[in-house]
Amino acid sequence: MIADSKPYTRHDVSFTSGDAGCAAWLYLPAGVRNPPVVILGHGLGAIREMRLDAFAERFAAAGIAAFAFTYRHFGDSGGQPRQLLSIKRQLADWDAAIAHIQGRDDVDGGRVAVWGSSFGGGHSITVAARHPELLAAVSQCPFTDGLASARALGVVASLRILPVVARDLAAKVRGADPVTVPLAGPPGTLALMNAPDALPGYQALIPPGESFVNAAAARVVPTIAMYRPGRSAKKVAMPILFCVSEHDTVTPPEQTLRYASSAPYGEIRTYEAGHFAFYLGEPFEQLVTDQLEFLTRHLQPL
């Protein structure tokens, strides 16, 4: 637990999802009884240590409890095999996180929001559409359309990855360890993201001394291509804030903005920063300020 003289305390928490446990941090605002909660989930293969704490700290300092978790199969969460990126399982992790928060007696389970970034930003749209009891949602530089992201990756790069997918699917049938592909790599290399800012952007989020595996089981590629969470925006029955990068090399902003405009209670903010710049420096300050205003308005912390 982190206490010191900070306006919050951070607690190490775990909750069960399916066949394993998810590791999480719960940030509780100091001196606030039954605060509202925002649940935070990260992007493609990322772990909560990669700057989710920065957002959580700011939310907690403003009186909103923050619950940042790592998906199964990654980081210090459980689940075998390792580095398995399953959309179905990650959405189940979100459901389990919400259920865990709703069952706690140190937060207000009736005032809950979800916050997702990148791939998690797509999940937050899907989750918000499935959970009308939520009061708000934040979708940051969201992955909204697998086909659009595949086009951004490029036809040649997409085709080059298919043999690796085939080898991993064969490994799955044999019960062998997954055949993996890098999450982020230099331009022209075989990776799920290979835009010029992808690898340095990912590396910039890893704290010194933190262990991070830049890989995911290749079998996820077809499901990513078919995942179009932006289509669920029109079904989101609560206020949802879309924070969109105007220069996004991973999740094309044009398609995201079209989906965002279909949300009945959607609010859209656009930023000059690129996809990976959202977590640091001035872009982070702009984002967290806008998000705090939005969450305070809809969660009404005391």
Side-chain angles (χ1 to χ4, degrees):
M1 180 178 74
I2 295 178
D4 301 330
S5 58
K6 295 178 180 178
Y8 56 82
T9 55
R10 192 183 85 184
H11 306 259
D12 292 326
V13 177
S14 64
F15 62 94
T16 300
S17 179
D19 57 357
C22 290
W25 292 321
L26 175 63
Y27 291 76
L28 292 175
V32 181
R33 292 189 60 187
N34 294 318
V37 192
V38 56
I39 301 172
L40 297 91
H42 218 319
L44 195 72
I47 55 179
R48 69 189 186 283
E49 287 83 358
M50 296 167 69
R51 294 290 289 174
L52 288 195
D53 50 347
F55 288 91
E57 289 168 1
R58 295 290 285 272
F59 298 153
I64 301 171
F67 189 72
F69 73 95
T70 297
Y71 299 107
R72 281 178 289 172
H73 307 281
F74 291 89
D76 58 350
S77 289
Q80 293 293 333
R82 304 307 296 167
Q83 306 307 120
L84 176 65
L85 206 168
S86 163
I87 294 172
K88 180 178 180 180
R89 285 174 175 248
Q90 290 194 350
L91 291 174
D93 293 346
W94 277 99
D95 292 340
I98 293 170
H100 175 83
I101 286 299
Q102 290 173 337
R104 295 187 66 95
D105 58 9
D106 51 2
V107 296
D108 187 345
R111 287 187 293 160
V112 180
V114 292
W115 179 105
S117 189
S118 193
F119 205 61
H123 287 338
S124 69
I125 302 171
T126 303
V127 171
R130 293 180 177 181
H131 287 271
E133 77 275 15
L134 297 172
L135 293 189
V138 176
S139 182
Q140 176 175 293
C141 55
F143 172 99
T144 56
D145 192 292
L147 294 179
S149 290
R151 286 194 293 268
L153 181 64
V155 175
V156 173
S158 299
L159 291 175
R160 284 178 58 206
I161 209 169
L162 293 181
V164 186
V165 174
R167 293 202 303 272
D168 186 40
L169 290 172
K172 178 182 178 182
V173 171
R174 299 195 311 270
D177 291 338
V179 177
T180 62
V181 62
L183 295 161
T189 64
L190 196 66
L192 295 181
M193 299 177 289
N194 64 7
D197 59 340
L199 183 58
Y202 242 51
Q203 291 172 332
L205 305 183
I206 305 170
E210 184 64 45
S211 175
F212 174 69
V213 181
N214 180 23
R219 69 193 69 168
V220 73
V221 170
T223 60
I224 289 178
M226 299 306 295
Y227 187 38
R228 307 179 83 178
R231 289 183 165 185
S232 294
K234 62 180 178 292
K235 302 176 185 177
V236 176
M238 75 285 300
I240 179 169
L241 175 64
F242 296 92
C243 298
V244 182
S245 163
E246 294 181 347
H247 309 290
D248 202 314
T249 58
V250 177
T251 57
E254 297 82 8
Q255 186 72 342
T256 293
L257 291 170
R258 282 193 287 270
Y259 283 131
S261 66
S262 73
Y265 306 100
E267 299 181 28
I268 302 172
R269 301 283 188 276
T270 58
Y271 305 85
E272 289 292 328
H275 185 89
F276 296 96
F278 270 20
Y279 305 91
L280 300 163
E282 183 57 30
F284 165 77
E285 292 296 334
Q286 294 175 0
L287 279 158
V288 78
T289 297
D290 289 347
Q291 292 169 6
L292 260 176
E293 187 280 328
F294 173 82
L295 290 170
T296 299
R297 186 163 18 109
H298 296 293
L299 295 181
Q300 299 181 343
L302 300 177

